[in-house]
Amino acid sequence: MDDLSVQVPLSCPTCGCTEFSEVSGQDQDSADERRFICAHCGVAISRDQLTEANSASIDATIQDMGDDIISALSKDLKKALKRKGWKVK
């Protein structure tokens, strides 16, 4: 399948800045509990909180990609069926 990856910039729910630094010395086993500090206003926020605060933007990006994903999957499925000898329109 074609590369359908996309990056959604996450913004600070307090000031809207998109630059963060990770709080050092954290346990890397629990990615969801990692904390970040906004480069502009200094607010500390967990990864879960940051994701939740940006959920509308994330959902909109997923919706926008829907047709591209369906098209790519359809193309790949047709190729796979043709390789197996199926007649595909």
Side-chain angles (χ1 to χ4, degrees), residues 20 75 88:
F20 297 89
K75 187 187 303 183
V88 180

Side-chain angles (χ1 to χ4, degrees), residues 45-88:
I45 189 168
S46 73
R47 180 178 176 182
D48 280 345
Q49 292 169 324
L50 191 57
T51 302
E52 180 64 29
N54 287 273
S55 63
S57 176
I58 294 167
D59 290 343
T61 301
I62 291 169
Q63 289 291 338
D64 290 345
M65 291 186 65
D67 291 339
D68 294 337
I69 293 169
I70 290 170
S71 176
L73 287 172
S74 176
K75 187 187 303 183
D76 286 350
L77 180 59
K78 286 179 183 179
K79 285 181 188 177
L81 291 174
K82 284 181 180 180
R83 276 184 264 149
K84 295 291 184 180
W86 290 59
K87 292 183 182 180
V88 180

